[in-house]
Amino acid sequence: TVETLKQGIASLPEPPTEILISGGGADNATLLKRLQHQNPCPIRTTRELGISPHAIEAMMCAWLAKQRLDNQPIELKTITGAQQNSILGGIWAP
């Protein structure tokens, strides 16, 4: 996991000034220690910002749903390399 993250970080256009960890990895002291050893910038969890590391995925889903309701495209070109940005999801009436 550390090697995969290291490669991903190295592929960024600019080095990060800090790295925020969320999800189960935020509870893994060994992972956090090894990541800090591999990176010159601070490694912190979202908990340090007052955001539960386990709430990030739910927040993302809520944001995606809001984008869909507002007919706002997601910038897939920059995130996934897709050929175009797109409105994701569907709305079904009961």
Side-chain angles (χ1 to χ4, degrees):
T1 301
V2 171
E3 187 60 32
T4 300
L5 290 169
K6 180 181 172 183
Q7 290 173 12
I9 293 164
S11 73
L12 295 171
E14 295 180 24
T17 57
E18 71 176 334
I19 296 171
L20 296 172
I21 305 296
S22 64
D27 297 324
N28 186 328
T30 301
L31 174 70
L32 296 173
K33 182 178 175 181
R34 290 186 64 202
L35 280 172
Q36 187 61 75
H37 180 73
Q38 295 284 334
N39 291 282
C41 66
I43 305 291
R44 303 184 333 156
T45 71
T46 58
R47 185 179 294 111
E48 296 175 56
L49 301 176
I51 302 168
S52 168
H54 304 289
I56 296 293
E57 186 175 3
M59 290 179 186
M60 177 212 50
C61 289
W63 180 81
L64 286 169
K66 176 74 168 119
Q67 295 302 98
R68 176 60 187 99
L69 290 172
D70 291 344
N71 290 316
Q72 294 297 311
I74 305 299
E75 299 217 10
L76 298 175
K77 289 165 50 172
T78 57
I79 297 170
T80 67
Q83 292 187 1
Q84 64 185 30
N85 297 330
S86 184
I87 296 172
L88 301 178
I91 300 172
W92 290 267

